[in-house]
Amino acid sequence: MKKSTKTLFNIIAVSIILAILIFLEMNKRKFSYDISIIERSMIYAVAAVAMNLTNGFTGLFSLGQAGFMAIGAYTVALLTIPVEARAGVFYVTGMNEFLSKIELPFIPALLLGGLFAAILAGLIGIPVLRLKSDYLAIATLGFSEIIRSIIASPQLNMITNGSYGLKKIPRFSSIFVPIALCCLCILIIVLLINSSYGRAFKAIREDETAAEAMGINLFKHKLTSFMISSFFTGVAGGLLASYMGTIDSGTFKITLTYDILLIVVLGGMGSVTGSILGSFLVTAGREWLRFFDQPLKVGNWQVPLFRTGFRMVVFSVLLMVVVLFYSKGLMGSKEFSWEGLVRFFKNLFTRKQKLNGGVSNGK
Amino acid sequence: MGNNVLRLEHCTMQFGGVVAVDNFSMEVNEHEIVALIGPNGAGKTTAFNFVTGVYEPTNGKVFFHDELMVANHPAGKMKKLYKGDPDQICEKIVRKTPDQITKLGIARTFQNIRLFKALTVFENVLIAKHMHAKSGLLKTAMHLNYREEIQMRKEAMELLEMQNLAAYRNDIASSLPYGQQRHLEIARALATNPTLLLLDEPAAGMNPQETDELAAFIKKTKEDFNLTVFLIEHHMDLVMGISDRIYVLDFGKMIAHGLPADIQNNDRVIQAYLGVEENA
């Protein structure tokens, strides 16, 4: 495919997406449900791409996502809840004197949230990154639970409002704010992956001993990757706080980490576009399957199993099927390309031909 | 004889009570090809590994270009277990990680090929250029270091062309034939701009013809890149053909060293390799 054709396709794709977004923004009321799915998907995509940076590209199996998201989310929430609303939020114990006077605009608060997550990642990374694979996963998982417990602890009622959670976090003013921010975050991670540092990360994933023999300082690079990933995980958490409007420590349970992990694995370890695709499929898929939760009658016959919770059973079965057929995730470690898309449809077509007795022409 | 490039002094390596390398001293002079041979389990790779920083010797010093690079002495419970020469205890401790040693100019290959398997041939070589890059993380991540990046790519490409690997540049490393993978591993090591090249059994798994080609290749590479080469090998043809000097290890002890012709006729070496008849 020629470069100019590809550019043309890219421009068309971007304008279609923009057109859809503008359409949705203009008909906000009618499509509020779809908008919320898109926003959630994009936020999860940022967290998934950030997780892919450590897990898929650097080969560090870290499961601390929920903890870093919690830090980002609470930072953003505490700094952006309007001062006048704070008494209402902290109705039990009241808010810490000093904190209650600080209010920041959304973007600086978001950056600060990411920064706190990154600093904390640096602090725990120094001891923890000496571990490998499963051990690292367990250590980071434990860390994430500690963060959640600390946030929920009554001793911090004056700061985090303990188990009561935080409310009245300002929402996004339009769909463009989260989408633009998410795209920017993903773009930065992609640029990093394609740079010399990204290659060093991949080398570490492939073979640590050989990477070290190539003059790559393992510890420094692992820590860099971990901190950058945590920064963007924190940012995703901050976006999530603003998206949801209310958060409490229960939002950041281990299941959140598993959700992100599911997206990364489904999309393909080591594929950014795979993570984005996976994020939309998982988030939207759960919603599409909602009709499984409603009782269904065919004629006079009440279809069994169709009741609340069945949706998740179907969803899990679908996931298993996908993983069985695409054992390396939907995209493997490849990235999206127009050629790939064309090949995919061609293969679909030729496969049908083969089934109809047509002669296969090689691969 | 030129200057010392590499010098080991009284190096001992113990794993618990087991002595893997015992009081081993050797030197590699500039522009030489020196081989380290010995039967399986003789301690060759262990000796190699403290030159490359994978292990720390229990006791001993390693000099690189006459500068102390690695030094250690028995500490902790090793003090009791130490079985080496008590007169040669080294006082200083100098530690280096493998990446620091590579930066000093020592490149290595591995006994069992360790390429970055899922990456392309070109990327494999390009990664070796990363450590010389001077731009910081932020500049690199935002692709503002394009001059440096172009330079890195140019050097990597030149290297691939010199090594006749340019045709494979977009192939995934693990898809190359075995011989080419060995070749690529050496090319990747050369990309770190070394002055000393360490080869760990470069001819392992090669047939006689490939081994001959490898011998010629090592000699040519040494000339082209003005290198000093230190290698471990089992193939006697290769070792005898290209080495200037040979050291022989057996059960961790150096049993002989000298010119290839002398080693070939050395009784102790023959005994180590072929065994001694009982009641002989």
Side-chain angles (χ1 to χ4, degrees):
Chain A
M1 202 178 280
K2 267 194 241 158
K3 211 171 179 184
S4 54
T5 348
K6 262 192 252 176
T7 323
L8 187 71
F9 275 163
N10 286 338
I11 292 170
I12 293 173
V14 170
S15 11
I16 290 175
I17 292 170
L18 262 181
I20 294 173
L21 289 182
I22 291 170
F23 176 74
L24 287 175
E25 175 67 22
M26 278 158 67
N27 302 289
K28 237 183 200 169
R29 293 252 164 67
K30 210 170 150 199
F31 293 103
S32 64
Y33 180 59
D34 306 71
I35 289 175
S36 85
I37 293 176
I38 291 174
E39 284 178 352
R40 186 186 271 271
S41 300
M42 276 314 277
I43 293 166
Y44 276 28
V46 173
V49 172
M51 190 180 194
N52 219 334
L53 179 65
T54 48
N55 294 33
F57 287 94
T58 320
L60 301 170
F61 192 26
S62 140
L63 289 178
Q65 319 303 317
F68 295 122
M69 284 178 91
I71 291 167
Y74 269 81
T75 310
V76 168
L78 289 172
L79 292 175
T80 57
I81 296 175
V83 171
E84 55 277 13
R86 289 187 186 184
V89 176
F90 287 79
Y91 62 94
V92 186
T93 53
M95 198 181 183
N96 180 299
E97 279 287 318
F98 174 69
L99 262 179
S100 66
K101 283 172 200 135
I102 307 172
E103 191 187 338
L104 282 179
F106 180 60
I107 302 285
L110 197 62
L111 283 176
L112 218 55
L115 216 59
F116 283 152
I119 290 168
L120 212 72
L123 288 178
I124 68 147
I126 290 167
V128 158
L129 285 177
R130 293 173 200 281
L131 302 171
K132 278 183 185 154
S133 61
D134 335 18
Y135 302 98
L136 176 63
I138 292 167
T140 45
L141 196 67
F143 156 79
S144 150
E145 269 305 277
I146 291 170
I147 297 278
R148 198 179 65 80
S149 317
I150 290 176
I151 285 174
S153 67
Q155 285 79 4
L156 288 182
N157 269 356
M158 301 274 278
I159 298 170
T160 63
N161 213 14
S163 52
Y164 305 107
L166 296 173
K167 286 176 298 214
K168 296 184 184 161
I169 306 164
R171 313 291 290 262
F172 299 125
S173 52
S174 88
I175 187 171
F176 295 110
V177 177
I179 301 277
L181 285 171
C182 289
C183 287
L184 184 69
C185 289
I186 293 173
L187 180 76
I188 292 173
I189 299 177
V190 169
L191 282 174
L192 174 72
I193 287 170
N194 288 327
S195 74
S196 180
Y197 272 87
R199 282 195 298 270
F201 293 159
K202 283 187 222 167
I204 292 172
R205 170 191 71 188
E206 292 297 316
D207 193 321
E208 287 194 3
T209 315
E212 215 175 8
M214 289 298 110
I216 294 169
N217 184 334
L218 284 187
F219 184 67
K220 188 184 132 200
H221 282 80
K222 282 182 179 178
L223 194 65
T224 308
S225 162
F226 190 55
M227 283 176 75
I228 293 174
S229 164
S230 303
F231 176 86
F232 287 106
T233 311
V235 168
L239 288 166
L240 195 67
S242 184
Y243 163 79
M244 307 220 294
T246 23
I247 53 169
D248 60 61
S249 60
T251 319
F252 303 98
K253 280 191 182 142
I254 287 176
T255 43
L256 180 66
T257 303
Y258 290 152
D259 273 351
I260 312 285
L261 180 66
L262 169 71
I263 290 169
V264 172
V265 172
L266 186 77
M269 286 274 205
S271 166
V272 173
T273 38
S275 293
I276 299 169
L277 182 72
S279 155
F280 273 87
L281 282 181
V282 168
T283 316
R286 273 188 198 149
E287 304 299 326
W288 290 334
L289 297 175
R290 261 192 203 282
F291 70 91
F292 284 110
D293 276 2
Q294 260 95 53
L296 182 74
K297 268 190 176 176
V298 179
N300 253 343
W301 181 60
Q302 169 80 44
V303 182
L305 293 175
F306 273 60
R307 65 171 85 105
T308 314
F310 185 52
R311 169 175 70 116
M312 290 320 286
V313 177
V314 176
F315 182 69
S316 309
V317 171
L318 279 178
L319 282 178
M320 279 191 247
V321 171
V322 171
V323 170
L324 277 176
F325 281 96
Y326 296 87
S327 55
K328 284 186 169 173
L330 292 172
M331 303 290 288
S333 58
K334 294 189 183 68
E335 293 298 342
F336 170 84
S337 67
W338 292 109
E339 286 101 331
L341 194 69
V342 172
R343 215 178 308 131
F344 176 74
F345 281 112
K346 260 190 193 160
N347 280 351
L348 269 187
F349 184 65
T350 43
R351 203 177 288 169
K352 259 182 204 156
Q353 264 190 341
K354 263 187 235 168
L355 289 178
N356 294 335
V359 187
S360 69
N361 44 352
K363 220 174 173 184
Chain B
M1 292 265 164
N3 299 326
N4 271 171
V5 172
L6 182 72
R7 190 165 76 243
L8 271 63
E9 280 183 6
H10 308 291
C11 285
T12 299
M13 180 82 209
Q14 277 184 236
F15 296 99
V18 181
V19 185
V21 174
D22 191 3
N23 202 12
F24 178 47
S25 301
M26 65 165 292
E27 54 189 40
V28 180
N29 297 317
E30 199 163 8
H31 225 58
E32 266 188 325
I33 298 183
V34 173
L36 179 62
I37 63 170
N40 279 329
K44 303 182 297 288
T45 302
T46 310
F48 225 58
N49 275 342
F50 44 71
V51 179
T52 54
V54 177
Y55 296 146
E56 291 183 339
T58 311
N59 181 55
K61 296 176 195 162
V62 180
F63 292 85
F64 182 54
H65 287 292
D66 289 321
E67 264 179 55
L68 191 61
M69 181 173 76
V70 171
N72 198 11
H73 59 74
K77 65 179 179 187
M78 251 317 159
K79 267 184 191 161
K80 275 186 199 160
L81 290 169
Y82 182 61
K83 291 174 186 164
D85 188 344
D87 299 332
Q88 296 299 346
I89 301 267
C90 144
E91 308 86 50
K92 278 192 199 162
I93 293 186
V94 181
R95 292 201 172 99
K96 288 253 178 343
T97 53
D99 57 287
Q100 290 170 324
I101 287 176
T102 308
K103 278 183 193 132
L104 288 176
I106 301 182
R108 72 170 296 184
T109 64
F110 295 88
Q111 191 170 344
N112 40 350
I113 304 177
R114 280 177 175 273
L115 288 171
F116 304 123
K117 291 196 185 80
L119 306 182
T120 65
V121 169
F122 184 57
E123 281 176 309
N124 262 277
V125 177
L126 196 51
I127 283 164
K129 294 282 172 203
H130 175 69
M131 67 165 183
H132 293 301
K134 286 183 188 67
S135 312
L137 174 66
L138 211 61
K139 206 172 163 191
T140 311
M142 291 301 107
H143 290 237
L144 296 172
N145 64 335
Y146 47 90
R147 259 200 213 121
E148 197 173 64
E149 177 80 17
I150 289 168
Q151 181 64 21
M152 279 160 70
R153 282 170 186 271
K154 208 179 109 203
E155 283 174 22
M157 202 58 226
E158 278 169 7
L159 195 70
L160 281 181
E161 267 160 15
M162 268 177 91
Q163 307 290 323
N164 293 324
L165 286 165
Y168 299 107
R169 67 175 179 277
N170 291 325
D171 290 1
I172 300 298
S174 61
S175 73
L176 292 189
Y178 185 80
Q180 297 291 0
Q181 290 195 18
R182 284 265 173 220
H183 203 142
L184 174 59
E185 210 189 11
I186 296 175
R188 187 182 66 175
L190 292 173
T192 60
N193 301 339
T195 51
L196 174 66
L197 180 64
L198 305 179
L199 301 171
D200 194 348
E201 299 199 20
M206 285 188 171
N207 63 32
Q209 192 208 335
E210 284 175 323
T211 310
D212 285 348
E213 284 168 13
L214 182 74
F217 169 67
I218 293 174
K219 273 190 169 170
K220 185 175 176 297
T221 311
K222 185 197 118 184
E223 295 305 325
D224 288 351
F225 290 84
N226 198 17
L227 290 172
T228 306
V229 179
F230 175 36
L231 67 118
I232 296 180
E233 194 42 75
H234 273 306
H235 282 61
M236 282 306 143
D237 303 348
L238 180 80
V239 172
M240 295 301 166
I242 64 170
S243 325
D244 296 312
R245 286 186 303 118
I246 296 175
Y247 287 84
V248 190
L249 275 180
D250 188 28
F251 293 110
K253 288 195 170 68
M254 188 173 73
I255 56 171
H257 81 273
L259 302 173
D262 300 337
I263 298 293
Q264 243 165 341
N265 301 316
N266 186 309
D267 288 340
R268 288 192 68 187
V269 178
I270 295 168
Q271 276 174 18
Y273 266 89
L274 299 177
V276 197
E277 268 181 62
E278 267 177 66
N279 313 320

